[in-house]
Amino acid sequence: VATAVGNYDGRGNVATTTYAFREGKQYTSLGVRDRTFAGFGISTTTAPESVTVTYYNQGDGTNVPRGEQSDGYAQINHPYRTDLFDKLNVLIQRTFNRFDTSTHASSTFVVLGRQLTQDYANNGTHRDKAVAYSYSESADPIQVIEYGEVTGNSDGTFTDTGSDKRTSTISYVASSSVNMLLPKQKY
């Protein structure tokens, strides 16, 4: 894996971004002869102006204290939490993703079910917003609910705080001249 990348501006200046990986795991729940690399549980990207710590599903069950809300084989290597820090290591933003699975015929699709974003102030307080997604059986998005401001929890769940919710319904129409589906959104 890459551990550092340097960007040179041609004038003698370099901006280096470093990468660190922890908690590498092998998925063996299907048997020892059917092993899969489940990726790294945590990756840290240190750029000149920020540090990003990303937590990934590894198919080994949910880690509730870290904010992992769902996990399974199909969700391996999907990021369930991302923390963004400034260069002084002060938390700026935390995002929680809940990935769901949708089975269609013999295929399993991984879809983003919910996303909670917490924006932090210098004093440690945060204002939160959330979005929820619904999908058809074939994993096409059919509804997006933007909750607006919510009260987020440290485990990635939230409670809606008011009446600023907006729901978008998406329907699809088939084209008789071209083999494609065109999304049509209704607000």
Side-chain angles (χ1 to χ4, degrees):
V1 295
T3 58
V5 173
N7 291 321
Y8 298 91
D9 67 358
R11 297 181 183 180
N13 300 313
V14 62
T16 303
T17 301
T18 61
Y19 305 93
F21 304 93
R22 297 185 314 217
E23 298 181 10
K25 194 173 273 188
Q26 197 168 53
Y27 183 84
T28 58
S29 294
L30 300 175
V32 294
R33 291 198 166 103
D34 191 7
R35 296 181 298 252
T36 301
F37 180 57
F40 293 98
I42 303 171
S43 72
T44 303
T45 303
T46 304
E49 297 297 321
S50 65
V51 176
T52 303
V53 181
T54 307
Y55 300 81
Y56 294 92
N57 293 118
Q58 292 184 297
D60 57 355
T62 57
N63 187 332
V64 176
R66 285 189 183 167
E68 187 175 22
Q69 299 173 53
S70 63
D71 197 11
Y73 180 76
Q75 295 152 312
I76 287 175
N77 211 32
H78 285 80
Y80 67 85
R81 178 176 142 192
T82 304
D83 295 343
L84 177 64
F85 299 89
D86 66 12
K87 62 183 176 181
L88 299 174
N89 206 31
V90 175
L91 182 61
I92 299 170
Q93 186 178 72
R94 176 170 284 156
T95 302
F96 295 96
N97 298 312
R98 188 193 75 206
F99 288 96
D100 300 327
T101 56
S102 173
T103 303
H104 179 68
S106 62
S107 298
T108 301
F109 298 96
V110 178
V111 294
L112 181 60
R114 273 191 171 173
Q115 185 174 63
L116 168 66
T117 303
Q118 300 176 320
D119 291 313
Y120 283 80
N122 290 338
N123 64 4
T125 62
H126 53 88
R127 294 192 67 182
D128 313 328
K129 62 183 176 182
V131 182
Y133 303 90
S134 297
Y135 299 86
S136 68
E137 288 181 12
S138 58
D140 294 316
I142 56 173
Q143 188 177 65
V144 178
I145 301 173
E146 298 171 276
Y147 286 93
E149 188 162 359
V150 299
T151 300
N153 302 310
S154 62
D155 64 356
T157 60
F158 63 89
T159 305
D160 196 6
T161 60
S163 59
D164 58 347
K165 179 169 71 172
R166 179 173 82 170
T167 302
S168 301
T169 302
I170 304 167
S171 58
Y172 295 85
V173 295
S175 171
S176 60
S177 61
V178 179
N179 187 15
M180 66 181 198
L181 293 176
L182 303 172
K184 182 173 83 172
Q185 291 190 0
K186 179 182 176 187
Y187 297 100

